[in-house]
């Protein structure tokens, strides 16, 4: 009798000690995991800061542009279509002298910044080569909505010859093709200044700290009053740069407004479906997960005796 009591006490003590050790081991494992995660995160953070450190001499890579409050950059922000209209005016009167816009057609402006009649009239101001006609000859005709925005040069060689060997890039996707996007383009257009002491810029180039290397072939073209806006908006250099950058951002991402609209609808639909799925799952399984199975043996139930050998 005494030995049985001692054995049961020892068994309970061992079981309690095992639970305590398991709890301590679990705590140690959690602490170890947290330490490892902290070390990895700290290492990754230090590596990122090392690779993206702000150096005193950033001439080789250009200055990092500031974060400008363009409304389309916000999570639910959309384009300012009045700004797109003004920006296309800036492009047509200033930028189109050197830069092309190969991926944009006149029809793309309809319903975005211009009416169909306005876009058709602007296209008709240019002549496009078409044909052949009935006699097999090519001919010139007024532009139509299905025509692309005309390029300033016939080919790359002509563009280089007119710009001292520099090739003006196509601006269709320029805000997506440059690191920093709209912030970089805006800073570049408004960042021209005199070179600091000790920095020499060879003839034919212009100093801009935001351009990699600091020397850019494109001269400053954005000044106060360089464009007269038809809606009476103040034509300061910053406003002109903001509008043309907004237009170029639309040219690179014309689907942005629709994409965000569809995204909001998708979030609402999937949130509703998730809530319905969670309710259905809980309603279906709560009876199975909360049930209790109890075995009530018969009162006259006797333990069967094992067969004798």
């Amino acid at each position: 009798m005494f030995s049985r009591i001692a054995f049961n006490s020892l068994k309970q003590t061992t079981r309690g000690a095992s639970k305590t050790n398991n709890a301590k081991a679990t705590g140690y494992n959690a602490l170890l995991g947290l330490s490892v995660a902290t070390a990895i995160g700290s290492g990754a953070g230090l590596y990122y800061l090392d690779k993206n450190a702000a150096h005193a001499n950033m001439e080789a890579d250009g200055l990092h542009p500031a974060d400008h409050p363009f409304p389309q950059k916000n999570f639910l922000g959309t384009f300012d279509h009045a700004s797109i209209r003004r920006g296309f005016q800036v492009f047509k009167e200033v930028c189109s002298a050197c830069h092309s816009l190969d991926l944009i057609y006149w029809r793309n402006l309809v319903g975005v910044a211009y009416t169909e009649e306005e876009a058709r009239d602007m296209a008709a101001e240019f002549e496009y080569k078409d044909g052949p006609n009935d006699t097999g000859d090519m001919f010139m005709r007024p532009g139509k909505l299905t025509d692309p925005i005309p390029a300033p040069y016939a080919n790359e060689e002509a563009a280089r010859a007119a710009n001292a060997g520099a090739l003006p890039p196509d601006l269709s996707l320029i805000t997506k093709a440059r690191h920093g996007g709209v912030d970089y383009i805006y800073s570049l257009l408004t960042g021209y200044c005199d070179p600091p002491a000790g920095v020499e810029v060879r003839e034919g180039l212009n100093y801009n700290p935001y351009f990699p290397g600091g020397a850019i072939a494109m001269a400053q073209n954005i000044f106060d009053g360089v464009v007269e806006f038809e809606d009476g908006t103040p034509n300061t250099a910053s406003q002109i740069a903001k509008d043309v950058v907004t237009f170029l951002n639309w040219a690179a991402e014309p689907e942005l407004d629709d994409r965000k609209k569809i995204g909001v609808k998708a979030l609402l639909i999937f949130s509703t479906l998730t809530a319905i799925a969670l309710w259905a799952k809980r309603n279906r399984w709560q009876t199975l997960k909360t049930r209790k199975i109890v075995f009530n043996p018969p009162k006259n139930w006797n333990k069967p005796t094992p067969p004798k050998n």
Side-chain angles (χ1 to χ4, degrees), residues 10-79:
L10 179 61
K11 187 176 180 181
Q12 291 178 0
T13 303
T14 305
R15 191 175 297 173
S18 177
K19 290 182 179 179
T20 304
N21 292 335
N22 290 337
K24 290 183 178 180
T26 303
Y28 291 150
N29 292 336
L31 183 60
L32 179 61
L34 181 61
S35 302
V36 172
T38 303
I40 294 176
S42 301
L46 291 174
Y47 177 81
Y48 176 83
L49 292 176
D50 180 69
K51 292 297 182 181
N52 297 273
H55 302 289
N57 182 15
M58 299 184 66
E59 184 179 0
D61 299 327
L63 290 179
H64 186 76
D67 185 17
H68 299 288
F70 287 92
Q72 66 269 19
K73 291 168 55 179
N74 298 330
F75 179 69
L76 296 178
T78 58
F79 284 119

